[in-house]
Amino acid sequence: MAENTVEETRRGRPLLEVDDVAVHFGGVKAVDGITLELRAGHIYGVLGPNGSGKSTLLGAMTRLTPMTRGSFVFEGNDYTRRPARTVHHMGIARTFQTVRLLDDRSVRDNILLGQDTLAKAGRKDADARVDEVMERVGVTAVARMRPDELSYGMQRRVEFARAIIGRPRLLLLDEPTAGMNSSEREEIGALMKQLLDEGITQFIVEHDVQMMVDTCDYLFAMNFGKLIAEGTPAAVVKHPAVQEAYLGKGAGTHA
Ligand SMILES: Nc1ncnc2c1ncn2[C@@H]1O[C@H](COP(=O)(O)OP(=O)(O)OP(=O)(O)O)[C@@H](O)[C@H]1O
């Protein structure tokens, strides 16, 4: 992706405002006062070493993980106290760190599970929508197969389809390329850019620094539950605090 300036990234309508969010587990300050803003029309990434709080932040954003303090505002609506299931209905979808698909159902049926918001639209509309989404993510040919018959890369695609069938404006991705080879990773990066072109802003937690630099146009870096840097990918990976915390001395691009 062409390198955006910070000013370019700050254009666009505010989508998600995260204000002073903290998640403490007893004495463990997994997330400890994160304030950030996501604007529509970008792919954002979060870097950070193991245990820095990335997944916990994602869990709090979807309201699955209870917060200690702070607030979330999505498209102008404060959803800090809303239950997790209503977050999905607001237009925020997510994928999980490990693939969560039902192996006793077909690919098509798994994707349909993500479209509860379309339930009232009726079966005919749902059928048309699932066909459209399967085509878009490239799983039409395996629609009748079960997830456990597919490669890991294809299972990830099915997860993407399930997440976007309800037409989210924000998609949260927890390590979408974990366990993939480099060509599968490139495919997922290309798919993310395609979804961006279709109006889905994305927020991705990922260990593969090179993939983040290639795919994201704005990065945040975390350590010990706090933000330590943010800005263009090039600036963030070079930031001394990030080098110190995440890349380590002489580390490569895949931490
Ligand atoms: N449910 C929980 N109960 C207690 N501690 C937790 C819980 N979930 C996470 N933690 C702790 O919170 C800290 C942040 O964990 P988190 O999984 O958010 O980090 P992460 O940056 O996503 O790590 P990774 O890159 O390894 O997935 C860690 O110290 C972790 O052990």
Side-chain angles (χ1 to χ4, degrees):
M1 178 169 286
E3 187 69 42
N4 282 19
T5 64
V6 169
E7 288 69 33
E8 279 168 346
T9 309
R10 293 206 172 127
R11 283 188 207 129
R13 106 196 116 81
L15 197 61
L16 179 67
E17 294 154 77
V18 175
D19 186 27
D20 193 29
V21 165
V23 181
H24 297 173
F25 298 108
V28 178
K29 296 179 176 177
V31 173
D32 196 24
I34 296 282
T35 297
L36 57 84
E37 188 178 78
L38 307 185
R39 293 193 170 245
H42 301 284
I43 300 179
Y44 293 91
V46 189
L47 293 176
N50 288 329
S52 56
K54 307 180 297 294
S55 294
T56 305
L57 176 63
L58 213 84
M61 280 178 171
T62 51
R63 297 286 302 116
L64 283 171
T65 305
M67 293 148 65
T68 306
R69 64 165 196 273
S71 69
F72 291 112
V73 174
F74 182 68
E75 296 181 328
N77 300 310
D78 188 323
Y79 69 95
T80 312
R81 276 169 240 296
R82 293 200 194 171
R85 65 188 152 74
T86 64
V87 172
H88 181 66
H89 294 155
M90 287 172 63
I92 302 177
R94 72 169 288 177
T95 64
F96 291 89
Q97 204 164 345
T98 47
V99 170
R100 294 187 187 185
L101 296 169
L102 302 176
D103 284 331
D104 59 349
R105 305 224 191 162
S106 68
V107 161
R108 187 189 176 86
D109 285 348
N110 268 278
I111 297 169
L112 276 164
L113 289 175
Q115 59 101 55
D116 55 348
T117 48
L118 292 180
K120 292 189 196 88
R123 182 77 203 185
K124 206 170 149 214
D125 289 350
D127 280 345
R129 175 72 181 150
V130 76
D131 288 343
E132 178 195 325
V133 168
M134 286 197 302
E135 193 66 39
R136 208 191 299 175
V137 306
V139 298
T140 305
V142 298
R144 290 169 187 275
M145 291 172 75
R146 294 194 327 262
D148 61 0
E149 297 176 297
L150 305 178
S151 70
Y152 193 68
M154 287 301 273
Q155 291 183 27
R156 275 289 181 202
R157 284 177 177 270
V158 176
E159 272 215 315
F160 266 75
R162 188 180 57 186
I164 66 170
I165 193 169
R167 297 191 174 87
R169 265 91 65 212
L170 177 62
L171 179 59
L172 308 175
L173 302 162
D174 198 353
E175 299 196 29
T177 68
M180 287 188 174
N181 62 36
S182 59
S183 68
E184 286 172 330
R185 284 207 296 268
E186 276 173 28
E187 273 184 47
I188 292 295
L191 179 58
M192 289 174 63
K193 288 178 188 175
Q194 186 194 330
L195 296 180
L196 180 68
D197 289 342
E198 293 172 20
I200 304 180
T201 299
Q202 291 150 77
F203 184 80
I204 167 176
V205 169
E206 178 63 65
H207 277 278
D208 184 341
V209 177
Q210 191 57 53
M211 196 259 179
M212 297 284 257
V213 170
D214 293 343
T215 314
C216 300
D217 55 5
Y218 195 91
L219 291 184
F220 299 99
M222 285 179 74
N223 201 16
F224 299 117
K226 293 182 188 291
L227 273 189
I228 55 170
E230 68 175 282
T232 64
V236 168
V237 295
K238 273 192 249 140
H239 195 288
V242 176
Q243 295 266 327
E244 171 82 24
Y246 186 54
L247 300 172
K249 269 190 196 155
T253 53
H254 191 268

